[in-house]
Amino acid sequence: MEASFVTGEETALISVMEGKQAMPRVRPPFPAMKGYQNSPTLIQNTETLANVSAVFQMGPEYVSGAGTDRSKGTKVITLSGDVVHPYTVEVEFGTTLRSIVEELGGGVPDGKTLKAVQFGGPTGAYVHADSLDIPLDYEPMEEAGTIMGSGTMKVLADDSCAVETCRDILSYIHDQSCGKCVFCREGSHQMADILAGISERSGKPQDLDLLKELGEAMKTGCICGLGRTAPNPVLSSIRLFRDEYDFHIKEKRCPVKE
């Protein structure tokens, strides 16, 4: 059976394990009470289970000796995009995003400059290059408007277009949506369509207000985390790189590639 992005949601994964379509369900009941075949189910990602193994092997004091007061231990980070070393690395909580990019990743190649990073996978928000001294810690990252997510960290150089990057991300998210809830199914389709129009030189000034309206509706109306976090890259990129959207709409061309 082919995997899909939505199976990262626990109830959707349980549905697949039962031989059904990958669709999340409304909770409660939670899997711990009623999961696989209506039985209490412990379902976690492999990183969490690996940490449980470390606690049993090394002891809780050893594991909690790393990290911060609120986020103990380590986190697996996958660096991708415009970075010299696209590694998968394990770092302590509390490590700054800047040090991950510049020290572990080797910075941006080919003499380019760092523009932003997208943290947390396809539904993670953008963090501007000037704000990368955020520690890898759940609360500070939430305050910065992004999510921990899968730990994927996509690095964007100065020749990356915010509009075109978001267009590709929303097209992927729409393709991966299970379609169960209207907010995600239609919202991701409309956002992808609007972004494609802006990128292809037919955008209108009112498109940006519509993107923000759709994004806020998805954040509150979607059933699962995929739909609720899907607007993150669009809303954050509009906030950080509004000038690129305006340039696309007014000049009918990309501001960084032409």
Side-chain angles (χ1 to χ4, degrees), residues 238-254:
I238 292 175
R239 185 177 69 253
L240 297 176
F241 306 110
R242 174 66 183 257
D243 58 327
E244 293 187 17
Y245 283 86
D246 291 337
F247 191 94
H248 260 283
I249 292 170
K250 294 176 182 177
E251 303 296 331
K252 307 301 180 185
R253 57 192 178 94
C254 178

Side-chain angles (χ1 to χ4, degrees), residues 116-129:
V117 300
Q118 183 190 21
F119 197 96
T123 60
Y126 289 102
V127 181
H128 196 278

Side-chain angles (χ1 to χ4, degrees), residues 26-70:
V26 177
R27 297 168 294 178
F30 293 93
M33 300 297 295
K34 187 177 180 182
Y36 179 69
Q37 294 184 347
N38 293 325
S39 300
T41 302
L42 174 64
I43 183 163
Q44 293 289 345
N45 60 50
T46 53
E47 184 180 10
T48 298
L49 297 177
N51 287 330
V52 172
S53 175
V55 170
F56 278 108
Q57 291 183 58
M58 309 290 188
E61 294 79 11
Y62 176 85
V63 176
S64 62
T68 68
D69 290 339
R70 294 176 294 184

Side-chain angles (χ1 to χ4, degrees), residues 183 215-222 228:
F183 283 96
E216 293 300 329
M218 290 177 67
K219 286 167 64 175
T220 57
C222 289
R228 290 194 295 269

Side-chain angles (χ1 to χ4, degrees), residues 66-68 71-75 91-95 135-138 148:
T68 68
S71 298
K72 304 292 186 181
T74 62
K75 176 67 180 173
V91 301
E92 287 190 31
F93 279 109
T95 305
L136 192 65
D137 193 324
Y138 284 93
M148 190 69 69

